[in-house]
Amino acid sequence: MTVRIGMIGPGGMGRAHIDRIHSVIAGGRVVAVSDINADNAQAVADSIGAKAFATSEELIESPDVDAVMICTLGPAHEADVIACIEAGKLVFCEKPLAPTASACLNIMAAEQKAGRKLVTVGFMRRFDASYREMKKTLDDGEIGEALMVHCAHRNPTVPDSYTWDMAINDTAIHEIDTMRWLLGEEFVSARVDKPKKTSKQFGQLQDPLVLVLSTTSGVRVDDEVFVNCQYGYDIRCELVAELGTVSLGDQEKVVRADVTGRHNHIVRDHNERFGAAFVTEVQEWITAAAHGQHSGSTSWDGYAAACVCDAGVKALTDDGVVPVEMIDKPALYS
Ligand code: ISE
């Protein structure tokens, strides 16, 4: 069966997903498109032989759409995700699930009423081969218990629309989710260290910053977020355990050497660094959807990340350690 997918919000990320689905991913086809910009919806629909819908509600309700991908901005997610749940359709929602924990609670309430998991959140790093190997090394138990993790998340630069809170809500959210998944624990507190700011640009941002998180068992995770580092998209992670460490390796496939020295290519953005992870993520979602099944992260994961982000954003404005406040995990997600 070919899963007939409705795409809401075919901007940069949405179009990248469409390209993957129509080139390297098996079992799915984007047959419907909607966008706040009707001309964009029509242009994208025309380019792939899909139908443009005037509203996301009409797309979600269409009997010709089996499953939905949402790639709009965070504030638009809640209403569309809930509409998908009420229509009984599997939905892949790009991160964040919603910008506030209370909006994520509304989504979880709708899903619990439906009585089954329908929502997958686009946390692509869980599908990256290096992070998966790191998790396997930890889970195999050969290096003992995790004690600390040192992460870095560097972007060459960010657009003018990037606001001060996005260092946590839009950027560190990746480490927040990946570390919850890697360690299999929730975070209980957040603190933000604010080093000297880069003079390069965006003086309104605290850039760089270091988000320091603690898990229930006391594992300490530090995440350097530096979104105007100029030189490339550089993602690092070293897990320190009782008997050894495990780190992401260099991601370059080749190293060039010449009279000027040794040169490693430095990737420029998340599509380049996590291209293969996006493919695996969407392939697993479509393969499961063909059987009417959920796959990947859940709306609980979206909610938990939002709660940690709330504490991180608070710690960015108030000094000190901020507790992470979360409800108990509902049975549907355990
Ligand atoms: C962006 O939204 C992403 O998701 C990227 O992966 C991240 O590196 C960047 O900082 C975010 O703004």
Side-chain angles (χ1 to χ4, degrees), residues 7-80:
M7 166 64 68
I8 302 175
M13 181 57 80
R15 280 200 302 269
H17 281 319
I18 293 174
D19 289 348
R20 290 181 190 103
I21 292 167
H22 292 175
S23 56
V24 289
I25 290 175
R29 180 98 212 145
V30 176
V31 299
V33 177
S34 77
D35 193 48
I36 192 164
N37 175 341
D39 291 341
N40 184 46
Q42 194 61 60
V44 173
D46 289 347
S47 72
I48 56 171
K51 179 173 174 191
F53 283 80
T55 66
S56 54
E57 292 84 355
E58 287 169 63
L59 177 149
I60 292 165
E61 280 160 22
S62 167
D64 296 328
V65 169
D66 302 315
V68 178
M69 290 188 96
I70 298 178
C71 297
T72 47
L73 295 176
H77 291 177
E78 179 185 358
D80 285 338

Side-chain angles (χ1 to χ4, degrees), residues 137 142-148 238-246:
T137 305
E142 285 167 18
I143 57 169
E145 299 271 314
L147 306 174
M148 296 179 284
E238 180 191 32
L239 180 144
V240 181
E242 293 166 305
L243 302 170
T245 71
V246 54

Side-chain angles (χ1 to χ4, degrees), residues 10-172:
M13 181 57 80
R15 280 200 302 269
H17 281 319
I18 293 174
D19 289 348
R20 290 181 190 103
I21 292 167
H22 292 175
S23 56
V24 289
I25 290 175
R29 180 98 212 145
V30 176
V31 299
V33 177
S34 77
D35 193 48
I36 192 164
N37 175 341
D39 291 341
N40 184 46
Q42 194 61 60
V44 173
D46 289 347
S47 72
I48 56 171
K51 179 173 174 191
F53 283 80
T55 66
S56 54
E57 292 84 355
E58 287 169 63
L59 177 149
I60 292 165
E61 280 160 22
S62 167
D64 296 328
V65 169
D66 302 315
V68 178
M69 290 188 96
I70 298 178
C71 297
T72 47
L73 295 176
H77 291 177
E78 179 185 358
D80 285 338
V81 172
I82 291 178
C84 290
I85 295 169
E86 289 173 348
K89 294 191 180 176
L90 289 157
V91 52
F92 176 101
C93 180
E94 264 307 333
K95 64 93 193 163
L97 176 57
T100 63
S102 70
C104 297
L105 282 173
N106 294 339
I107 290 170
M108 284 197 292
E111 219 177 15
Q112 288 170 87
K113 193 166 163 213
R116 65 187 185 114
K117 286 185 275 189
L118 289 160
V119 182
T120 299
V121 186
F123 286 129
M124 80 296 199
R125 292 195 189 181
R126 294 173 176 226
F127 300 85
D128 177 69
S130 336
Y131 276 117
R132 283 187 162 185
E133 197 171 330
M134 199 174 210
K135 180 162 174 59
K136 184 173 180 312
T137 305
L138 180 64
D139 291 349
D140 284 350
E142 285 167 18
I143 57 169
E145 299 271 314
L147 306 174
M148 296 179 284
V149 193
H150 309 299
C151 308
H153 187 154
R154 300 187 190 136
N155 293 175
T157 189
V158 284
D160 288 343
S161 54
Y162 191 95
T163 50
W164 63 273
D165 55 302
M166 287 170 80
I168 308 288
N169 284 332
D170 195 54
T171 299

